[in-house]
Amino acid sequence: MYKRAILILLLASLMLSSQPVHAQEVSGPVYIVQPGDSLSSIAARFNVNMAELMEANGITDANQITAGQQLVIPGLEGISGLLSANLINFGDSYRSLMRQTQVPDSLFRKLNHVVSPSEFYVGVSMILPGQGENQNNKRISLAAGESLLEVAIKNNTDVWSLADINGLHGSWDGLPGDTLFTPGENNNAGTTGLPSAFISAEIRDLPIKQGGTGVIKVQTIPGVTLGGLLVDHPLHFFADESGVQIALQGVHALLEPGVYPLRLDATLPDGSAQSYEQMILIVSGYYTDITISVPSETLNLSVTEPENQQIISIVSTATTTKNWQEEFNIPVALPFCIKDWFGIRRTYLGQGTDIKLNGFHSGVDYGICSESNPYDIYAPAPGTVVFTAPLTVRGNATIIDHGWGIYSGFWHQEESYVTVGQYMQTGELIGKIGGTGRVTGPHLHWEVWVNGIQVDPLDWLNQAYP
């Protein structure tokens, strides 16, 4: 009886195993995991249940996803193909992106939970479905007094197609300066909604952080002069060897995270002007807070403010020669010790007084690792010495102009070995680490100024600008 029961179980097992196993077929668009993504952030982004997302992709451990991995997104009926994350760059407007990609408004809103086109900020990541062959890449713009019919003929199309592609009501609906799209070769290096004076515009390393360096690269038609504004600071443009105009602009470390204006102004050879403004996202630098006790005389506003204005007046001039080519070098000898980091919020207390001053640490402090450590300070990049003198807060100070509005400041030196007007090569000796000025011990405080704003010097060590 026992053997018979075993035999029946074996036969049943064989019969079951012979039946085909039908895996659950999951359809839907595919999203490629980006650096910094988590499964929970992806689920939240597409407003899908995390358990359903895991089941659809055969994931058992929510922590085991990697950048570049393809995930099927369930529950997005009517959407197929590859979904890509795109950082909105300068010139990408809601209307121009819809015109170029022909992605239906309802689909774009569904993928990105967009309530209003006003949410379209530079530096924000948006999801777009795979762009097919029907994408309209040729960008055109109506000049003053020019009709839609004239533009259509000039671009080998008809007025009805042009109106249909761009959501216009008819041939009378085009406005001067409005950016339109038509089938054809991409003539704008990926930028979408800019006026006709601009061939392309790109903001690098988005989103920009507090204390970061904004890199704005613009290509224009011949003869255009550029200006503009980032947050509340005028931009200075310089042409590189390829003719692309570049502005470097620091973002203040105390600027509240949020959205701020970025405007480009173009003056054409005939004297006419075109401008384009868009809001840009500034994100937190995640800086901490500390309190420091220092000599009270170094907190006296009658001393500190004139000294601050003196430094600002020096570093606010943008000279036209770019002296550096690569990343900056560390301005001290190896081994080195960083005693304090850029951006830290500081409260200064006067010793023996009730004087209090709030601010932030505007550079990087290099201390002394050991008694055998060299005290030498070196030029991090080529440039011209434009200041060297003792100051109350900064002690023995030296400033080097690297060109294009980029300056290095070296504070608290025991000695300075350079003179104003001296041209320094990378690695040349500047001075000696000391403890002069407002300090709690000997160190080099190194600052980098970008168009009148202090930025994190370590960024300039880790990558080349522009």
Side-chain angles (χ1 to χ4, degrees), residues 43-77:
R45 179 166 206 169
F46 290 103
N47 197 27
V48 300
N49 183 277
M50 187 163 165
E52 292 178 359
L53 182 61
M54 293 177 68
E55 182 181 357
N57 292 278
I59 296 174
T60 56
D61 184 350
N63 297 315
Q64 296 300 313
I65 64 168
T66 58
Q69 182 178 347
Q70 295 189 2
L71 296 181
V72 174
I73 308 298
L76 295 179
E77 290 81 7

PDB file of all heavy atoms in Angstrom, residues 43-77:
ATOM      1  N   ALA A  43       9.440  54.190  -8.505  1.00  0.00           N
ATOM      2  CA  ALA A  43       8.014  53.928  -8.308  1.00  0.00           C
ATOM      3  C   ALA A  43       7.259  55.228  -8.066  1.00  0.00           C
ATOM      4  O   ALA A  43       6.164  55.447  -8.617  1.00  0.00           O
ATOM      5  CB  ALA A  43       7.824  52.966  -7.138  1.00  0.00           C
ATOM      6  N   ALA A  44       7.836  56.110  -7.245  1.00  0.00           N
ATOM      7  CA  ALA A  44       7.188  57.389  -6.960  1.00  0.00           C
ATOM      8  C   ALA A  44       7.130  58.261  -8.208  1.00  0.00           C
ATOM      9  O   ALA A  44       6.132  58.948  -8.461  1.00  0.00           O
ATOM     10  CB  ALA A  44       7.938  58.111  -5.840  1.00  0.00           C
ATOM     11  N   ARG A  45       8.187  58.210  -8.995  1.00  0.00           N
ATOM     12  CA  ARG A  45       8.237  59.055 -10.194  1.00  0.00           C
ATOM     13  C   ARG A  45       7.139  58.698 -11.185  1.00  0.00           C
ATOM     14  O   ARG A  45       6.527  59.567 -11.800  1.00  0.00           O
ATOM     15  CB  ARG A  45       9.602  58.918 -10.858  1.00  0.00           C
ATOM     16  CG  ARG A  45       9.756  59.731 -12.120  1.00  0.00           C
ATOM     17  CD  ARG A  45      11.194  59.824 -12.546  1.00  0.00           C
ATOM     18  NE  ARG A  45      11.417  61.022 -13.330  1.00  0.00           N
ATOM     19  CZ  ARG A  45      12.600  61.482 -13.676  1.00  0.00           C
ATOM     20  NH1 ARG A  45      13.684  60.863 -13.274  1.00  0.00           N
ATOM     21  NH2 ARG A  45      12.718  62.576 -14.391  1.00  0.00           N
ATOM     22  N   PHE A  46       6.874  57.388 -11.341  1.00  0.00           N
ATOM     23  CA  PHE A  46       5.863  56.951 -12.298  1.00  0.00           C
ATOM     24  C   PHE A  46       4.511  56.663 -11.643  1.00  0.00           C
ATOM     25  O   PHE A  46       3.590  56.211 -12.314  1.00  0.00           O
ATOM     26  CB  PHE A  46       6.360  55.707 -13.041  1.00  0.00           C
ATOM     27  CG  PHE A  46       7.491  55.987 -13.992  1.00  0.00           C
ATOM     28  CD1 PHE A  46       8.800  55.663 -13.645  1.00  0.00           C
ATOM     29  CD2 PHE A  46       7.267  56.604 -15.204  1.00  0.00           C
ATOM     30  CE1 PHE A  46       9.856  55.925 -14.509  1.00  0.00           C
ATOM     31  CE2 PHE A  46       8.311  56.875 -16.079  1.00  0.00           C
ATOM     32  CZ  PHE A  46       9.611  56.533 -15.731  1.00  0.00           C
ATOM     33  N   ASN A  47       4.435  56.942 -10.319  1.00  0.00           N
ATOM     34  CA  ASN A  47       3.191  56.761  -9.582  1.00  0.00           C
ATOM     35  C   ASN A  47       2.659  55.335  -9.710  1.00  0.00           C
ATOM     36  O   ASN A  47       1.475  55.106  -9.980  1.00  0.00           O
ATOM     37  CB  ASN A  47       2.138  57.770 -10.065  1.00  0.00           C
ATOM     38  CG  ASN A  47       0.985  57.915  -9.095  1.00  0.00           C
ATOM     39  OD1 ASN A  47       1.151  57.698  -7.894  1.00  0.00           O
ATOM     40  ND2 ASN A  47      -0.178  58.259  -9.601  1.00  0.00           N
ATOM     41  N   VAL A  48       3.566  54.360  -9.542  1.00  0.00           N
ATOM     42  CA  VAL A  48       3.180  52.949  -9.600  1.00  0.00           C
ATOM     43  C   VAL A  48       3.498  52.298  -8.260  1.00  0.00           C
ATOM     44  O   VAL A  48       4.338  52.786  -7.497  1.00  0.00           O
ATOM     45  CB  VAL A  48       3.905  52.193 -10.740  1.00  0.00           C
ATOM     46  CG1 VAL A  48       3.578  52.801 -12.083  1.00  0.00           C
ATOM     47  CG2 VAL A  48       5.416  52.185 -10.520  1.00  0.00           C
ATOM     48  N   ASN A  49       2.802  51.210  -7.979  1.00  0.00           N
ATOM     49  CA  ASN A  49       3.024  50.465  -6.749  1.00  0.00           C
ATOM     50  C   ASN A  49       4.383  49.781  -6.785  1.00  0.00           C
ATOM     51  O   ASN A  49       4.732  49.132  -7.766  1.00  0.00           O
ATOM     52  CB  ASN A  49       1.900  49.437  -6.564  1.00  0.00           C
ATOM     53  CG  ASN A  49       2.029  48.675  -5.269  1.00  0.00           C
ATOM     54  OD1 ASN A  49       2.784  47.702  -5.197  1.00  0.00           O
ATOM     55  ND2 ASN A  49       1.298  49.103  -4.267  1.00  0.00           N
ATOM     56  N   MET A  50       5.170  49.920  -5.706  1.00  0.00           N
ATOM     57  CA  MET A  50       6.519  49.367  -5.691  1.00  0.00           C
ATOM     58  C   MET A  50       6.506  47.851  -5.786  1.00  0.00           C
ATOM     59  O   MET A  50       7.338  47.247  -6.472  1.00  0.00           O
ATOM     60  CB  MET A  50       7.264  49.815  -4.433  1.00  0.00           C
ATOM     61  CG  MET A  50       8.732  49.417  -4.415  1.00  0.00           C
ATOM     62  SD  MET A  50       9.650  50.350  -3.195  1.00  0.00           S
ATOM     63  CE  MET A  50      11.148  49.378  -3.099  1.00  0.00           C
ATOM     64  N   ALA A  51       5.542  47.205  -5.126  1.00  0.00           N
ATOM     65  CA  ALA A  51       5.454  45.740  -5.198  1.00  0.00           C
ATOM     66  C   ALA A  51       5.159  45.287  -6.621  1.00  0.00           C
ATOM     67  O   ALA A  51       5.727  44.300  -7.104  1.00  0.00           O
ATOM     68  CB  ALA A  51       4.373  45.245  -4.242  1.00  0.00           C
ATOM     69  N   GLU A  52       4.305  46.014  -7.327  1.00  0.00           N
ATOM     70  CA  GLU A  52       3.989  45.674  -8.726  1.00  0.00           C
ATOM     71  C   GLU A  52       5.206  45.904  -9.612  1.00  0.00           C
ATOM     72  O   GLU A  52       5.443  45.147 -10.560  1.00  0.00           O
ATOM     73  CB  GLU A  52       2.809  46.509  -9.205  1.00  0.00           C
ATOM     74  CG  GLU A  52       1.486  46.177  -8.522  1.00  0.00           C
ATOM     75  CD  GLU A  52       0.366  47.069  -8.991  1.00  0.00           C
ATOM     76  OE1 GLU A  52       0.632  47.972  -9.837  1.00  0.00           O
ATOM     77  OE2 GLU A  52      -0.775  46.891  -8.527  1.00  0.00           O
ATOM     78  N   LEU A  53       5.973  46.953  -9.323  1.00  0.00           N
ATOM     79  CA  LEU A  53       7.187  47.225 -10.087  1.00  0.00           C
ATOM     80  C   LEU A  53       8.192  46.093  -9.906  1.00  0.00           C
ATOM     81  O   LEU A  53       8.823  45.642 -10.877  1.00  0.00           O
ATOM     82  CB  LEU A  53       7.793  48.562  -9.643  1.00  0.00           C
ATOM     83  CG  LEU A  53       9.056  49.030 -10.366  1.00  0.00           C
ATOM     84  CD1 LEU A  53       8.796  49.229 -11.853  1.00  0.00           C
ATOM     85  CD2 LEU A  53       9.577  50.333  -9.752  1.00  0.00           C
ATOM     86  N   MET A  54       8.338  45.606  -8.678  1.00  0.00           N
ATOM     87  CA  MET A  54       9.258  44.503  -8.408  1.00  0.00           C
ATOM     88  C   MET A  54       8.786  43.228  -9.083  1.00  0.00           C
ATOM     89  O   MET A  54       9.581  42.496  -9.698  1.00  0.00           O
ATOM     90  CB  MET A  54       9.401  44.298  -6.904  1.00  0.00           C
ATOM     91  CG  MET A  54      10.083  45.447  -6.184  1.00  0.00           C
ATOM     92  SD  MET A  54      10.163  45.245  -4.380  1.00  0.00           S
ATOM     93  CE  MET A  54      11.313  43.860  -4.247  1.00  0.00           C
ATOM     94  N   GLU A  55       7.480  42.952  -9.017  1.00  0.00           N
ATOM     95  CA  GLU A  55       6.942  41.738  -9.629  1.00  0.00           C
ATOM     96  C   GLU A  55       7.094  41.763 -11.145  1.00  0.00           C
ATOM     97  O   GLU A  55       7.453  40.760 -11.760  1.00  0.00           O
ATOM     98  CB  GLU A  55       5.471  41.591  -9.249  1.00  0.00           C
ATOM     99  CG  GLU A  55       4.822  40.319  -9.801  1.00  0.00           C
ATOM    100  CD  GLU A  55       3.361  40.215  -9.429  1.00  0.00           C
ATOM    101  OE1 GLU A  55       2.855  41.092  -8.699  1.00  0.00           O
ATOM    102  OE2 GLU A  55       2.706  39.256  -9.885  1.00  0.00           O
ATOM    103  N   ALA A  56       6.849  42.910 -11.752  1.00  0.00           N
ATOM    104  CA  ALA A  56       6.932  43.025 -13.204  1.00  0.00           C
ATOM    105  C   ALA A  56       8.339  42.776 -13.717  1.00  0.00           C
ATOM    106  O   ALA A  56       8.535  42.361 -14.861  1.00  0.00           O
ATOM    107  CB  ALA A  56       6.457  44.406 -13.653  1.00  0.00           C
ATOM    108  N   ASN A  57       9.340  43.003 -12.858  1.00  0.00           N
ATOM    109  CA  ASN A  57      10.732  42.878 -13.291  1.00  0.00           C
ATOM    110  C   ASN A  57      11.472  41.734 -12.609  1.00  0.00           C
ATOM    111  O   ASN A  57      12.695  41.620 -12.748  1.00  0.00           O
ATOM    112  CB  ASN A  57      11.458  44.201 -13.040  1.00  0.00           C
ATOM    113  CG  ASN A  57      10.958  45.323 -13.928  1.00  0.00           C
ATOM    114  OD1 ASN A  57      11.364  45.439 -15.080  1.00  0.00           O
ATOM    115  ND2 ASN A  57      10.054  46.141 -13.402  1.00  0.00           N
ATOM    116  N   GLY A  58      10.727  40.886 -11.877  1.00  0.00           N
ATOM    117  CA  GLY A  58      11.348  39.736 -11.224  1.00  0.00           C
ATOM    118  C   GLY A  58      12.376  40.125 -10.187  1.00  0.00           C
ATOM    119  O   GLY A  58      13.374  39.416  -9.992  1.00  0.00           O
ATOM    120  N   ILE A  59      12.154  41.248  -9.494  1.00  0.00           N
ATOM    121  CA  ILE A  59      13.102  41.741  -8.492  1.00  0.00           C
ATOM    122  C   ILE A  59      12.663  41.262  -7.114  1.00  0.00           C
ATOM    123  O   ILE A  59      11.514  41.463  -6.707  1.00  0.00           O
ATOM    124  CB  ILE A  59      13.177  43.275  -8.525  1.00  0.00           C
ATOM    125  CG1 ILE A  59      13.729  43.757  -9.873  1.00  0.00           C
ATOM    126  CG2 ILE A  59      14.045  43.803  -7.381  1.00  0.00           C
ATOM    127  CD1 ILE A  59      13.699  45.260 -10.044  1.00  0.00           C
ATOM    128  N   THR A  60      13.563  40.633  -6.391  1.00  0.00           N
ATOM    129  CA  THR A  60      13.263  40.171  -5.037  1.00  0.00           C
ATOM    130  C   THR A  60      13.898  41.051  -3.967  1.00  0.00           C
ATOM    131  O   THR A  60      13.445  41.072  -2.831  1.00  0.00           O
ATOM    132  CB  THR A  60      13.757  38.721  -4.852  1.00  0.00           C
ATOM    133  OG1 THR A  60      15.157  38.649  -5.151  1.00  0.00           O
ATOM    134  CG2 THR A  60      13.000  37.779  -5.792  1.00  0.00           C
ATOM    135  N   ASP A  61      14.952  41.784  -4.331  1.00  0.00           N
ATOM    136  CA  ASP A  61      15.625  42.673  -3.388  1.00  0.00           C
ATOM    137  C   ASP A  61      15.585  44.088  -3.949  1.00  0.00           C
ATOM    138  O   ASP A  61      16.217  44.387  -4.974  1.00  0.00           O
ATOM    139  CB  ASP A  61      17.069  42.221  -3.167  1.00  0.00           C
ATOM    140  CG  ASP A  61      17.804  43.056  -2.122  1.00  0.00           C
ATOM    141  OD1 ASP A  61      17.263  44.099  -1.700  1.00  0.00           O
ATOM    142  OD2 ASP A  61      18.925  42.674  -1.734  1.00  0.00           O
ATOM    143  N   ALA A  62      14.856  44.968  -3.291  1.00  0.00           N
ATOM    144  CA  ALA A  62      14.672  46.337  -3.792  1.00  0.00           C
ATOM    145  C   ALA A  62      15.972  47.122  -3.863  1.00  0.00           C
ATOM    146  O   ALA A  62      16.056  48.131  -4.566  1.00  0.00           O
ATOM    147  CB  ALA A  62      13.674  47.085  -2.905  1.00  0.00           C
ATOM    148  N   ASN A  63      16.991  46.678  -3.146  1.00  0.00           N
ATOM    149  CA  ASN A  63      18.274  47.391  -3.140  1.00  0.00           C
ATOM    150  C   ASN A  63      19.197  46.963  -4.280  1.00  0.00           C
ATOM    151  O   ASN A  63      20.253  47.563  -4.473  1.00  0.00           O
ATOM    152  CB  ASN A  63      18.993  47.166  -1.802  1.00  0.00           C
ATOM    153  CG  ASN A  63      18.217  47.735  -0.630  1.00  0.00           C
ATOM    154  OD1 ASN A  63      17.727  48.851  -0.705  1.00  0.00           O
ATOM    155  ND2 ASN A  63      18.088  46.958   0.439  1.00  0.00           N
ATOM    156  N   GLN A  64      18.806  45.939  -5.005  1.00  0.00           N
ATOM    157  CA  GLN A  64      19.686  45.386  -6.044  1.00  0.00           C
ATOM    158  C   GLN A  64      19.299  45.888  -7.433  1.00  0.00           C
ATOM    159  O   GLN A  64      18.878  45.126  -8.297  1.00  0.00           O
ATOM    160  CB  GLN A  64      19.645  43.854  -5.998  1.00  0.00           C
ATOM    161  CG  GLN A  64      20.175  43.249  -4.710  1.00  0.00           C
ATOM    162  CD  GLN A  64      21.621  43.631  -4.457  1.00  0.00           C
ATOM    163  OE1 GLN A  64      22.457  43.552  -5.344  1.00  0.00           O
ATOM    164  NE2 GLN A  64      21.916  44.048  -3.229  1.00  0.00           N
ATOM    165  N   ILE A  65      19.405  47.193  -7.642  1.00  0.00           N
ATOM    166  CA  ILE A  65      19.266  47.743  -8.987  1.00  0.00           C
ATOM    167  C   ILE A  65      20.515  48.559  -9.288  1.00  0.00           C
ATOM    168  O   ILE A  65      21.153  49.096  -8.377  1.00  0.00           O
ATOM    169  CB  ILE A  65      17.998  48.605  -9.166  1.00  0.00           C
ATOM    170  CG1 ILE A  65      18.049  49.857  -8.270  1.00  0.00           C
ATOM    171  CG2 ILE A  65      16.745  47.807  -8.903  1.00  0.00           C
ATOM    172  CD1 ILE A  65      16.980  50.866  -8.605  1.00  0.00           C
ATOM    173  N   THR A  66      20.863  48.633 -10.560  1.00  0.00           N
ATOM    174  CA  THR A  66      22.089  49.327 -10.957  1.00  0.00           C
ATOM    175  C   THR A  66      21.803  50.283 -12.100  1.00  0.00           C
ATOM    176  O   THR A  66      20.856  50.093 -12.874  1.00  0.00           O
ATOM    177  CB  THR A  66      23.167  48.317 -11.404  1.00  0.00           C
ATOM    178  OG1 THR A  66      22.652  47.527 -12.495  1.00  0.00           O
ATOM    179  CG2 THR A  66      23.566  47.400 -10.256  1.00  0.00           C
ATOM    180  N   ALA A  67      22.614  51.318 -12.194  1.00  0.00           N
ATOM    181  CA  ALA A  67      22.487  52.281 -13.290  1.00  0.00           C
ATOM    182  C   ALA A  67      22.655  51.555 -14.621  1.00  0.00           C
ATOM    183  O   ALA A  67      23.540  50.720 -14.778  1.00  0.00           O
ATOM    184  CB  ALA A  67      23.525  53.386 -13.148  1.00  0.00           C
ATOM    185  N   GLY A  68      21.782  51.858 -15.566  1.00  0.00           N
ATOM    186  CA  GLY A  68      21.806  51.211 -16.876  1.00  0.00           C
ATOM    187  C   GLY A  68      20.850  50.043 -16.993  1.00  0.00           C
ATOM    188  O   GLY A  68      20.568  49.571 -18.096  1.00  0.00           O
ATOM    189  N   GLN A  69      20.346  49.552 -15.860  1.00  0.00           N
ATOM    190  CA  GLN A  69      19.401  48.425 -15.878  1.00  0.00           C
ATOM    191  C   GLN A  69      18.078  48.872 -16.493  1.00  0.00           C
ATOM    192  O   GLN A  69      17.618  49.991 -16.286  1.00  0.00           O
ATOM    193  CB  GLN A  69      19.177  47.933 -14.441  1.00  0.00           C
ATOM    194  CG  GLN A  69      18.244  46.738 -14.317  1.00  0.00           C
ATOM    195  CD  GLN A  69      18.126  46.297 -12.860  1.00  0.00           C
ATOM    196  OE1 GLN A  69      18.907  46.709 -12.008  1.00  0.00           O
ATOM    197  NE2 GLN A  69      17.152  45.459 -12.582  1.00  0.00           N
ATOM    198  N   GLN A  70      17.440  47.975 -17.254  1.00  0.00           N
ATOM    199  CA  GLN A  70      16.158  48.270 -17.883  1.00  0.00           C
ATOM    200  C   GLN A  70      15.023  47.717 -17.034  1.00  0.00           C
ATOM    201  O   GLN A  70      15.036  46.549 -16.655  1.00  0.00           O
ATOM    202  CB  GLN A  70      16.095  47.687 -19.295  1.00  0.00           C
ATOM    203  CG  GLN A  70      17.091  48.319 -20.251  1.00  0.00           C
ATOM    204  CD  GLN A  70      16.864  47.896 -21.691  1.00  0.00           C
ATOM    205  OE1 GLN A  70      15.931  47.159 -21.993  1.00  0.00           O
ATOM    206  NE2 GLN A  70      17.703  48.375 -22.590  1.00  0.00           N
ATOM    207  N   LEU A  71      14.056  48.577 -16.737  1.00  0.00           N
ATOM    208  CA  LEU A  71      12.903  48.182 -15.941  1.00  0.00           C
ATOM    209  C   LEU A  71      11.617  48.403 -16.728  1.00  0.00           C
ATOM    210  O   LEU A  71      11.422  49.481 -17.309  1.00  0.00           O
ATOM    211  CB  LEU A  71      12.827  48.996 -14.646  1.00  0.00           C
ATOM    212  CG  LEU A  71      13.955  48.833 -13.619  1.00  0.00           C
ATOM    213  CD1 LEU A  71      13.675  49.714 -12.415  1.00  0.00           C
ATOM    214  CD2 LEU A  71      14.095  47.380 -13.197  1.00  0.00           C
ATOM    215  N   VAL A  72      10.758  47.390 -16.750  1.00  0.00           N
ATOM    216  CA  VAL A  72       9.429  47.556 -17.311  1.00  0.00           C
ATOM    217  C   VAL A  72       8.585  48.318 -16.295  1.00  0.00           C
ATOM    218  O   VAL A  72       8.583  47.994 -15.104  1.00  0.00           O
ATOM    219  CB  VAL A  72       8.781  46.193 -17.621  1.00  0.00           C
ATOM    220  CG1 VAL A  72       7.337  46.375 -18.069  1.00  0.00           C
ATOM    221  CG2 VAL A  72       9.574  45.458 -18.686  1.00  0.00           C
ATOM    222  N   ILE A  73       7.875  49.348 -16.749  1.00  0.00           N
ATOM    223  CA  ILE A  73       7.012  50.140 -15.870  1.00  0.00           C
ATOM    224  C   ILE A  73       5.566  49.707 -16.099  1.00  0.00           C
ATOM    225  O   ILE A  73       4.989  49.984 -17.151  1.00  0.00           O
ATOM    226  CB  ILE A  73       7.163  51.651 -16.130  1.00  0.00           C
ATOM    227  CG1 ILE A  73       8.637  52.067 -16.074  1.00  0.00           C
ATOM    228  CG2 ILE A  73       6.327  52.438 -15.135  1.00  0.00           C
ATOM    229  CD1 ILE A  73       9.307  51.847 -14.748  1.00  0.00           C
ATOM    230  N   PRO A  74       4.971  48.986 -15.145  1.00  0.00           N
ATOM    231  CA  PRO A  74       3.599  48.518 -15.328  1.00  0.00           C
ATOM    232  C   PRO A  74       2.585  49.634 -15.087  1.00  0.00           C
ATOM    233  O   PRO A  74       2.888  50.646 -14.444  1.00  0.00           O
ATOM    234  CB  PRO A  74       3.475  47.437 -14.250  1.00  0.00           C
ATOM    235  CG  PRO A  74       4.383  47.901 -13.158  1.00  0.00           C
ATOM    236  CD  PRO A  74       5.535  48.585 -13.842  1.00  0.00           C
ATOM    237  N   GLY A  75       1.378  49.429 -15.604  1.00  0.00           N
ATOM    238  CA  GLY A  75       0.276  50.345 -15.308  1.00  0.00           C
ATOM    239  C   GLY A  75       0.216  51.591 -16.148  1.00  0.00           C
ATOM    240  O   GLY A  75      -0.648  52.441 -15.920  1.00  0.00           O
ATOM    241  N   LEU A  76       1.102  51.737 -17.132  1.00  0.00           N
ATOM    242  CA  LEU A  76       1.063  52.912 -18.006  1.00  0.00           C
ATOM    243  C   LEU A  76       0.429  52.517 -19.334  1.00  0.00           C
ATOM    244  O   LEU A  76       1.105  52.331 -20.350  1.00  0.00           O
ATOM    245  CB  LEU A  76       2.477  53.479 -18.223  1.00  0.00           C
ATOM    246  CG  LEU A  76       3.169  54.053 -16.988  1.00  0.00           C
ATOM    247  CD1 LEU A  76       4.560  54.554 -17.334  1.00  0.00           C
ATOM    248  CD2 LEU A  76       2.350  55.184 -16.367  1.00  0.00           C
ATOM    249  N   GLU A  77      -0.891  52.347 -19.310  1.00  0.00           N
ATOM    250  CA  GLU A  77      -1.601  51.901 -20.499  1.00  0.00           C
ATOM    251  C   GLU A  77      -1.442  52.906 -21.642  1.00  0.00           C
ATOM    252  O   GLU A  77      -1.469  54.117 -21.436  1.00  0.00           O
ATOM    253  CB  GLU A  77      -3.089  51.722 -20.181  1.00  0.00           C
ATOM    254  CG  GLU A  77      -3.399  50.551 -19.276  1.00  0.00           C
ATOM    255  CD  GLU A  77      -3.173  50.884 -17.812  1.00  0.00           C
ATOM    256  OE1 GLU A  77      -2.912  52.078 -17.509  1.00  0.00           O
ATOM    257  OE2 GLU A  77      -3.237  49.971 -16.963  1.00  0.00           O
TER     258      GLU A  77
END
